Amino acid sequence: MKEKTKDGKKEKKLDRADVNADAKEIGRAGETRFLVIVYALSLIFFGLTNKIAAPISRLFDWAGYGQMRDFFTMLFTGILWLVELGFLRLSVWKVMKRKIFHLDDEQRKLLPGNRIAYIVAISVLFIFIVSLQTHFRVKLVYDFGEKISGYELFEHILNIFFNLVKIIWLAFLLRVVESMFCGKKGITAYAALLLASAPLGALDIFVYGINLPVTYAGFYLLAPLLYILVERNYLKAYLLFIMLYLL
């Protein structure tokens, strides 16, 4: 009788373990589905927010007799982007009960020397290619052009803010896709992360228009590799992306 009782307890423990494993699997599948929705919404927000900002900007045509319409469109697009990013980030925390931008101890560590060497080499090469096309001028200055009016100066300054928020989208989407495909390594991880950077790059080039589109298509293809090299630390990745995108 005692032996049967022990066997019964073992069976119950095994059953509980199976139930817990199934619950975790179901929970993981639910999180993945939710992150797919966040991913889709992110691309929709990034690509269509300017369409919402455009009619709002027309309300300010009295400023500069309509000449500052592009300025206000860019301003409201950037502001709405920040609101949308805040909404998505809060939604992830509410549904998944964890902050998507949390960094673990491994991600906070200093990068090993070989990774730093790879990052420096890639960054220097990219900046050199951009410099060749801008006649060795800083791209930030190149984007301003030769002769600009007062309105255009304000627009170019605002464009810096616009691009800073644009790169937040890139870092955010990389983190979302990483959470969708957690555990992937090597070329599989790079391919998965391309789901974040490639569509965003296409929208940036074809919807918003940027100088040197072919070169910056290369930037969006490099972004997942750089993200992996910085140990998936979104803060380090963001600062690196800003340097390459603006300079």
PDB file of all heavy atoms in Angstrom, residues 13-31:
ATOM      1  N   LYS A  13       3.041  14.609  -9.113  1.00  0.00           N
ATOM      2  CA  LYS A  13       4.105  15.601  -9.345  1.00  0.00           C
ATOM      3  C   LYS A  13       4.388  15.758 -10.827  1.00  0.00           C
ATOM      4  O   LYS A  13       4.575  16.857 -11.334  1.00  0.00           O
ATOM      5  CB  LYS A  13       5.375  15.178  -8.613  1.00  0.00           C
ATOM      6  CG  LYS A  13       5.323  15.399  -7.117  1.00  0.00           C
ATOM      7  CD  LYS A  13       6.626  14.993  -6.447  1.00  0.00           C
ATOM      8  CE  LYS A  13       6.565  15.229  -4.941  1.00  0.00           C
ATOM      9  NZ  LYS A  13       7.824  14.803  -4.295  1.00  0.00           N
ATOM     10  N   LEU A  14       4.424  14.619 -11.543  1.00  0.00           N
ATOM     11  CA  LEU A  14       4.662  14.655 -12.985  1.00  0.00           C
ATOM     12  C   LEU A  14       3.528  15.381 -13.703  1.00  0.00           C
ATOM     13  O   LEU A  14       3.746  16.156 -14.624  1.00  0.00           O
ATOM     14  CB  LEU A  14       4.818  13.237 -13.538  1.00  0.00           C
ATOM     15  CG  LEU A  14       6.126  12.517 -13.179  1.00  0.00           C
ATOM     16  CD1 LEU A  14       6.064  11.059 -13.627  1.00  0.00           C
ATOM     17  CD2 LEU A  14       7.320  13.209 -13.830  1.00  0.00           C
ATOM     18  N   ASP A  15       2.282  15.114 -13.256  1.00  0.00           N
ATOM     19  CA  ASP A  15       1.121  15.771 -13.855  1.00  0.00           C
ATOM     20  C   ASP A  15       1.189  17.284 -13.651  1.00  0.00           C
ATOM     21  O   ASP A  15       0.911  18.064 -14.560  1.00  0.00           O
ATOM     22  CB  ASP A  15      -0.180  15.231 -13.253  1.00  0.00           C
ATOM     23  CG  ASP A  15      -0.456  13.804 -13.722  1.00  0.00           C
ATOM     24  OD1 ASP A  15       0.132  13.398 -14.737  1.00  0.00           O
ATOM     25  OD2 ASP A  15      -1.257  13.113 -13.056  1.00  0.00           O
ATOM     26  N   ARG A  16       1.568  17.689 -12.421  1.00  0.00           N
ATOM     27  CA  ARG A  16       1.686  19.125 -12.136  1.00  0.00           C
ATOM     28  C   ARG A  16       2.762  19.771 -12.981  1.00  0.00           C
ATOM     29  O   ARG A  16       2.616  20.896 -13.477  1.00  0.00           O
ATOM     30  CB  ARG A  16       1.998  19.334 -10.652  1.00  0.00           C
ATOM     31  CG  ARG A  16       0.806  19.116  -9.743  1.00  0.00           C
ATOM     32  CD  ARG A  16       1.218  19.197  -8.295  1.00  0.00           C
ATOM     33  NE  ARG A  16       0.141  18.818  -7.409  1.00  0.00           N
ATOM     34  CZ  ARG A  16       0.300  18.604  -6.107  1.00  0.00           C
ATOM     35  NH1 ARG A  16       1.504  18.708  -5.571  1.00  0.00           N
ATOM     36  NH2 ARG A  16      -0.734  18.283  -5.365  1.00  0.00           N
ATOM     37  N   ALA A  17       3.881  19.058 -13.155  1.00  0.00           N
ATOM     38  CA  ALA A  17       4.982  19.580 -13.972  1.00  0.00           C
ATOM     39  C   ALA A  17       4.531  19.764 -15.412  1.00  0.00           C
ATOM     40  O   ALA A  17       4.849  20.768 -16.054  1.00  0.00           O
ATOM     41  CB  ALA A  17       6.183  18.633 -13.907  1.00  0.00           C
ATOM     42  N   ASP A  18       3.757  18.788 -15.914  1.00  0.00           N
ATOM     43  CA  ASP A  18       3.248  18.884 -17.283  1.00  0.00           C
ATOM     44  C   ASP A  18       2.290  20.065 -17.433  1.00  0.00           C
ATOM     45  O   ASP A  18       2.321  20.790 -18.427  1.00  0.00           O
ATOM     46  CB  ASP A  18       2.522  17.583 -17.680  1.00  0.00           C
ATOM     47  CG  ASP A  18       3.502  16.426 -17.855  1.00  0.00           C
ATOM     48  OD1 ASP A  18       4.704  16.706 -18.054  1.00  0.00           O
ATOM     49  OD2 ASP A  18       3.061  15.262 -17.787  1.00  0.00           O
ATOM     50  N   VAL A  19       1.433  20.226 -16.424  1.00  0.00           N
ATOM     51  CA  VAL A  19       0.464  21.337 -16.450  1.00  0.00           C
ATOM     52  C   VAL A  19       1.200  22.672 -16.444  1.00  0.00           C
ATOM     53  O   VAL A  19       0.862  23.591 -17.200  1.00  0.00           O
ATOM     54  CB  VAL A  19      -0.504  21.244 -15.248  1.00  0.00           C
ATOM     55  CG1 VAL A  19      -1.311  22.538 -15.122  1.00  0.00           C
ATOM     56  CG2 VAL A  19      -1.428  20.055 -15.405  1.00  0.00           C
ATOM     57  N   ASN A  20       2.218  22.796 -15.571  1.00  0.00           N
ATOM     58  CA  ASN A  20       2.995  24.040 -15.511  1.00  0.00           C
ATOM     59  C   ASN A  20       3.711  24.317 -16.831  1.00  0.00           C
ATOM     60  O   ASN A  20       3.774  25.465 -17.285  1.00  0.00           O
ATOM     61  CB  ASN A  20       4.024  23.959 -14.374  1.00  0.00           C
ATOM     62  CG  ASN A  20       3.378  24.016 -13.008  1.00  0.00           C
ATOM     63  OD1 ASN A  20       2.272  24.538 -12.869  1.00  0.00           O
ATOM     64  ND2 ASN A  20       4.047  23.472 -12.006  1.00  0.00           N
ATOM     65  N   ALA A  21       4.272  23.263 -17.434  1.00  0.00           N
ATOM     66  CA  ALA A  21       4.965  23.423 -18.724  1.00  0.00           C
ATOM     67  C   ALA A  21       3.992  23.868 -19.795  1.00  0.00           C
ATOM     68  O   ALA A  21       4.301  24.753 -20.614  1.00  0.00           O
ATOM     69  CB  ALA A  21       5.639  22.117 -19.121  1.00  0.00           C
ATOM     70  N   ASP A  22       2.796  23.253 -19.797  1.00  0.00           N
ATOM     71  CA  ASP A  22       1.772  23.635 -20.775  1.00  0.00           C
ATOM     72  C   ASP A  22       1.334  25.083 -20.569  1.00  0.00           C
ATOM     73  O   ASP A  22       1.127  25.823 -21.528  1.00  0.00           O
ATOM     74  CB  ASP A  22       0.548  22.712 -20.670  1.00  0.00           C
ATOM     75  CG  ASP A  22       0.848  21.296 -21.158  1.00  0.00           C
ATOM     76  OD1 ASP A  22       1.841  21.141 -21.897  1.00  0.00           O
ATOM     77  OD2 ASP A  22       0.094  20.375 -20.797  1.00  0.00           O
ATOM     78  N   ALA A  23       1.172  25.472 -19.299  1.00  0.00           N
ATOM     79  CA  ALA A  23       0.752  26.846 -18.991  1.00  0.00           C
ATOM     80  C   ALA A  23       1.795  27.852 -19.463  1.00  0.00           C
ATOM     81  O   ALA A  23       1.456  28.910 -20.020  1.00  0.00           O
ATOM     82  CB  ALA A  23       0.524  26.991 -17.486  1.00  0.00           C
ATOM     83  N   LYS A  24       3.072  27.517 -19.247  1.00  0.00           N
ATOM     84  CA  LYS A  24       4.149  28.406 -19.698  1.00  0.00           C
ATOM     85  C   LYS A  24       4.152  28.530 -21.215  1.00  0.00           C
ATOM     86  O   LYS A  24       4.350  29.606 -21.770  1.00  0.00           O
ATOM     87  CB  LYS A  24       5.502  27.884 -19.208  1.00  0.00           C
ATOM     88  CG  LYS A  24       5.764  28.131 -17.738  1.00  0.00           C
ATOM     89  CD  LYS A  24       7.144  27.620 -17.340  1.00  0.00           C
ATOM     90  CE  LYS A  24       7.406  27.864 -15.850  1.00  0.00           C
ATOM     91  NZ  LYS A  24       8.722  27.345 -15.436  1.00  0.00           N
ATOM     92  N   GLU A  25       3.914  27.395 -21.889  1.00  0.00           N
ATOM     93  CA  GLU A  25       3.898  27.380 -23.351  1.00  0.00           C
ATOM     94  C   GLU A  25       2.749  28.230 -23.887  1.00  0.00           C
ATOM     95  O   GLU A  25       2.897  29.004 -24.835  1.00  0.00           O
ATOM     96  CB  GLU A  25       3.764  25.936 -23.853  1.00  0.00           C
ATOM     97  CG  GLU A  25       3.993  25.764 -25.345  1.00  0.00           C
ATOM     98  CD  GLU A  25       5.396  26.120 -25.770  1.00  0.00           C
ATOM     99  OE1 GLU A  25       6.335  25.915 -24.983  1.00  0.00           O
ATOM    100  OE2 GLU A  25       5.541  26.639 -26.900  1.00  0.00           O
ATOM    101  N   ILE A  26       1.584  28.079 -23.246  1.00  0.00           N
ATOM    102  CA  ILE A  26       0.409  28.870 -23.641  1.00  0.00           C
ATOM    103  C   ILE A  26       0.664  30.356 -23.387  1.00  0.00           C
ATOM    104  O   ILE A  26       0.343  31.213 -24.207  1.00  0.00           O
ATOM    105  CB  ILE A  26      -0.847  28.405 -22.879  1.00  0.00           C
ATOM    106  CG1 ILE A  26      -1.233  26.992 -23.336  1.00  0.00           C
ATOM    107  CG2 ILE A  26      -2.010  29.362 -23.099  1.00  0.00           C
ATOM    108  CD1 ILE A  26      -2.286  26.324 -22.468  1.00  0.00           C
ATOM    109  N   GLY A  27       1.271  30.647 -22.218  1.00  0.00           N
ATOM    110  CA  GLY A  27       1.585  32.033 -21.889  1.00  0.00           C
ATOM    111  C   GLY A  27       2.569  32.641 -22.868  1.00  0.00           C
ATOM    112  O   GLY A  27       2.416  33.782 -23.295  1.00  0.00           O
ATOM    113  N   ARG A  28       3.580  31.861 -23.248  1.00  0.00           N
ATOM    114  CA  ARG A  28       4.582  32.323 -24.206  1.00  0.00           C
ATOM    115  C   ARG A  28       3.959  32.579 -25.580  1.00  0.00           C
ATOM    116  O   ARG A  28       4.248  33.572 -26.228  1.00  0.00           O
ATOM    117  CB  ARG A  28       5.708  31.280 -24.315  1.00  0.00           C
ATOM    118  CG  ARG A  28       6.778  31.591 -25.343  1.00  0.00           C
ATOM    119  CD  ARG A  28       7.500  32.878 -25.025  1.00  0.00           C
ATOM    120  NE  ARG A  28       8.286  33.318 -26.154  1.00  0.00           N
ATOM    121  CZ  ARG A  28       8.691  34.552 -26.352  1.00  0.00           C
ATOM    122  NH1 ARG A  28       8.355  35.502 -25.499  1.00  0.00           N
ATOM    123  NH2 ARG A  28       9.406  34.869 -27.398  1.00  0.00           N
ATOM    124  N   ALA A  29       3.056  31.677 -25.998  1.00  0.00           N
ATOM    125  CA  ALA A  29       2.376  31.844 -27.287  1.00  0.00           C
ATOM    126  C   ALA A  29       1.512  33.103 -27.285  1.00  0.00           C
ATOM    127  O   ALA A  29       1.459  33.841 -28.274  1.00  0.00           O
ATOM    128  CB  ALA A  29       1.525  30.615 -27.587  1.00  0.00           C
ATOM    129  N   GLY A  30       0.834  33.356 -26.138  1.00  0.00           N
ATOM    130  CA  GLY A  30       0.010  34.554 -26.016  1.00  0.00           C
ATOM    131  C   GLY A  30       0.849  35.826 -26.089  1.00  0.00           C
ATOM    132  O   GLY A  30       0.463  36.806 -26.739  1.00  0.00           O
ATOM    133  N   GLU A  31       2.022  35.817 -25.431  1.00  0.00           N
ATOM    134  CA  GLU A  31       2.924  36.967 -25.480  1.00  0.00           C
ATOM    135  C   GLU A  31       3.417  37.221 -26.898  1.00  0.00           C
ATOM    136  O   GLU A  31       3.495  38.365 -27.344  1.00  0.00           O
ATOM    137  CB  GLU A  31       4.120  36.734 -24.557  1.00  0.00           C
ATOM    138  CG  GLU A  31       3.811  36.896 -23.083  1.00  0.00           C
ATOM    139  CD  GLU A  31       5.065  36.811 -22.229  1.00  0.00           C
ATOM    140  OE1 GLU A  31       6.155  36.521 -22.782  1.00  0.00           O
ATOM    141  OE2 GLU A  31       4.969  37.023 -21.008  1.00  0.00           O
TER     142      GLU A  31
END
